[in-house]
Amino acid sequence: IICAELKEISKKYGKPRKTEIIYHEEVKEIEEHELIEDYTVRFFLTKENYFKKVTLVSLRSSGEHKLKDEDIIIQEIEANNKSEIIFFSDKANVYKIKAYDIPEVKVSNIGHYLPNLLNMEDNENILYFVVTNDYKGHMIFVFENGKISKVPLEAYQTKVNRKKLINAYSDKY
């Protein structure tokens, strides 16, 4: 009796299925980096260890950079939000951070203080930074005594997401 009634109700009110059955094997795992928006940004490093990540739209619509007294911009690089930034310090340490982990600021903002952002040592200064997506290329270090060292950028690539690499290059000059 119940089966007959269900067939009758199905004929009277039945509609094609609006959803689809997906089996566990067909489910695609979404990784975290796929959810991160990728767009072009410009990075600025100042002599006093301030760092700015500014979108190009914000850069076009803004005026002059706000800096501390007697501070100057020492480096500027254009890259994308999914890049990895490698900072080289004067204590032979290297700090790495994903660009999307750094909040964007306006040009009128002083920027992020790197010792706080990277947990740097006391009296440590960032000398240079490089932005990479694939760790291709080389870093060239020139010392006061005239010696030169060439290190592949892939030497700074790590499997785990470490922020600090100690003794990442030689400080003997």
Side-chain angles (χ1 to χ4, degrees):
I1 296 177
I2 295 175
C3 290
E5 288 178 359
L6 285 174
K7 287 181 182 177
E8 193 176 305
I9 291 171
S10 175
K11 286 180 187 176
K12 187 175 180 182
Y13 298 105
K15 294 181 182 175
R17 185 177 190 99
K18 291 186 177 182
T19 60
E20 169 182 345
I21 297 175
I22 300 175
Y23 296 98
H24 186 269
E25 304 83 40
E26 298 173 0
V27 175
K28 181 186 175 208
E29 293 288 327
I30 298 176
E31 295 184 27
E32 182 182 348
H33 70 85
E34 293 179 55
L35 300 174
I36 297 166
E37 188 178 354
D38 198 17
Y39 52 90
T40 306
V41 292
R42 189 162 289 167
F43 301 107
F44 299 91
L45 174 65
T46 71
K47 183 179 176 189
E48 298 291 326
N49 281 327
Y50 283 92
F51 190 74
K52 294 182 185 187
K53 172 184 161 184
V54 182
T55 63
L56 295 184
V57 173
S58 176
L59 194 61
R60 282 188 223 110
S61 63
S62 300
E64 284 190 34
H65 281 276
K66 181 177 181 183
L67 302 171
K68 288 181 74 175
D69 291 340
E70 300 191 21
D71 196 8
I72 58 168
I73 294 174
I74 59 171
Q75 191 178 357
E76 174 182 344
I77 294 179
E78 189 172 302
N80 61 35
N81 192 46
K82 286 191 175 181
S83 300
E84 194 158 325
I85 307 167
I86 304 171
F87 295 94
F88 294 85
S89 80
D90 59 357
K91 303 241 179 170
N93 294 326
V94 168
Y95 297 89
K96 297 178 1 172
I97 191 167
K98 307 266 188 209
Y100 55 79
D101 287 337
I102 301 172
E104 297 166 7
V105 296
K106 303 269 185 214
V107 174
S108 59
N109 188 305
I110 199 165
H112 303 286
Y113 190 53
L114 286 176
N116 294 340
L117 188 68
L118 302 174
N119 298 324
M120 293 168 47
E121 297 175 11
D122 291 338
N123 299 321
E124 185 175 19
N125 294 304
I126 296 298
L127 301 173
Y128 185 78
F129 75 96
V130 66
V131 181
T132 184
N133 291 322
D134 55 7
Y135 287 90
K136 300 263 191 263
H138 294 85
M139 289 298 301
I140 296 179
F141 299 97
V142 180
F143 299 94
E144 287 180 343
N145 64 3
K147 292 187 177 181
I148 298 175
S149 174
K150 179 179 175 183
V151 178
L153 201 56
E154 65 190 19
Y156 301 108
Q157 188 173 13
T158 56
K159 298 213 186 281
V160 293
N161 198 13
R162 292 188 302 171
K163 257 190 181 178
K164 182 177 182 179
L165 306 175
I166 300 170
N167 297 323
Y169 62 94
S170 175
D171 61 352
K172 307 289 186 245
Y173 44 84

